[in-house]
């Protein structure tokens, strides 16, 4: 795909190499899978394919950074200090978006927000946020028991796919007795809970 240079001043190929340099081969394959799924969803639902490609390629850009770098970024960028109570799973999107902005020069707020929300979702999600959130869950490399069902729903009704993913992620976290990030609960209340 050719980028218009509106959102990033390098080509897709150059972005792919920069992303590859940040992560393991396995995670890089995941990222390419997310891009593939995101492009299909963007095409089906009418989101920007270029923004979907850039957000998908960068969504896990910071995932292999050390905790100390995230902690330093939270302090340096003046992000909510409450974030310091969390860990890589929550930081790599929310804090990672700032590293993407700084290091790759991406300033488009829609792209940055899709990166920020990709792990937890949110009560309010744009079409691009949903595309990235769902693509991350259904990309071709994912293999968990209900992934085929999630893929089917994703191409029938994107909001239902957000709901399906949120419900299953939350029940997985509860089963593990993981600490639930408040935004994850907000996502559940908006997209899953019966009104
Ligand atoms: O980065 P990926 O592995 O591609 O996927 P992701 O960013 O959607 O999720 C990363 C991890 O974050 C995954 O193991 C689930 C976890 N997670 C999602 N919501 C929460 C969470 N972990 C905690 N502790 N609390 C949450 O609310
Ligand atoms: Fe992630
Ligand atoms: Fe991911």
């Amino acid at each position: 795909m050719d980028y218009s240079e509106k959102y990033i001043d390098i080509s897709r190929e150059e972005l792919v190499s920069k992303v590859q340099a940040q992560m393991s081969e396995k995670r890089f394959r995941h990222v390419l899978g997310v891009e593939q799924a995101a492009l299909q969803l963007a095409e089906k639902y009418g989101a920007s394919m270029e923004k979907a490609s850039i957000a998908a390629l960068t969504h896990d850009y910071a995932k292999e950074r050390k905790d100390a770098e995230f902690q330093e970024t939270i302090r340096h960028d003046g992000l909510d200090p409450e974030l310091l109570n969390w860990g890589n799973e929550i930081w790599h999107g929310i804090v990672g978006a700032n590293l993407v902005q700084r290091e790759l020069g991406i300033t488009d707020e829609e792209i940055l927000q899709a990166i920020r929300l990709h792990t937890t979702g949110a009560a309010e999600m744009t079409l691009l946020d949903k595309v990235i959130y769902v693509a991350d869950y259904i990309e071709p490399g994912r293999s968990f028991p209900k992934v085929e069902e999630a893929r089917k729903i994703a191409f029938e009704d994107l909001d239902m796919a957000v709901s399906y993913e949120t419900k299953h992620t939350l029940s997985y976290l509860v089963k593990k007795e993981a600490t639930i990030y408040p935004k994850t609960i907000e996502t559940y209340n908006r997209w899953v809970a019966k009104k």
Side-chain angles (χ1 to χ4, degrees):
M1 145 178 256
D2 287 331
Y3 289 166
S4 66
E5 299 183 7
K6 275 190 287 195
Y7 311 120
I8 191 162
D9 61 10
I10 55 176
S11 67
R12 177 185 172 278
E13 281 60 46
E14 288 171 294
L15 178 58
V16 167
S17 321
K18 282 180 189 268
V19 167
Q20 183 170 24
Q22 294 291 322
M23 58 189 63
S24 69
E25 188 58 35
K26 182 164 182 274
R27 177 155 291 116
F28 177 60
R29 281 201 306 272
H30 159 70
V31 163
L32 292 180
V34 175
E35 187 201 27
Q36 191 186 319
L39 286 172
Q40 289 168 353
L41 292 171
E43 182 159 43
K44 163 137 182 103
Y45 294 107
S48 159
M49 309 261 294
E50 183 174 351
K51 287 192 187 196
S53 168
I54 296 170
L57 290 174
T58 55
H59 83 284
D60 280 338
Y61 176 81
K63 184 128 175 184
E64 296 184 11
R65 298 297 170 96
K66 294 198 171 80
D67 287 358
E69 184 169 1
F70 285 116
Q71 289 158 339
E72 179 53 30
T73 304
I74 292 164
R75 293 198 182 91
H76 178 271
D77 291 0
L79 297 176
D80 185 350
E82 204 276 322
L83 276 168
L84 293 167
N85 300 325
W86 297 86
N88 178 282
E89 290 176 341
I90 299 304
W91 292 338
H92 78 278
I94 298 177
V95 186
N98 286 35
L99 299 170
V100 166
Q101 174 163 16
R102 190 140 57 234
E103 296 175 19
L104 300 175
I106 294 168
T107 57
D108 183 82
E109 255 315 305
E110 258 200 307
I111 295 173
L112 295 173
Q113 179 173 288
I115 299 168
R116 281 188 202 110
L117 300 186
H118 88 264
T119 304
T120 62
E124 295 283 336
M125 295 171 85
T126 65
L127 178 57
L128 185 69
D129 296 336
K130 293 173 192 171
V131 162
I132 299 302
Y133 181 73
V134 171
D136 192 22
Y137 195 65
I138 64 157
E139 62 97 356
R142 293 272 195 217
S143 61
F144 53 86
K146 302 226 165 70
V147 72
E148 282 306 334
E149 179 68 8
R151 287 186 182 120
K152 182 171 161 281
I153 296 168
F155 288 95
E156 289 169 358
D157 184 327
L158 190 60
D159 286 358
M160 274 180 55
V162 169
S163 173
Y164 188 87
E165 169 178 349
T166 301
K167 176 173 171 171
H168 288 273
T169 299
L170 186 58
S171 52
Y172 160 79
L173 292 168
V174 167
K175 201 165 182 176
K176 284 206 309 177
E177 298 179 3
T179 314
I180 311 298
Y181 190 65
K183 209 165 197 83
T184 303
I185 298 174
E186 288 174 24
T187 308
Y188 172 83
N189 285 339
R190 164 63 180 83
W191 295 98
V192 185
K194 298 221 164 55
K195 300 302 169 326

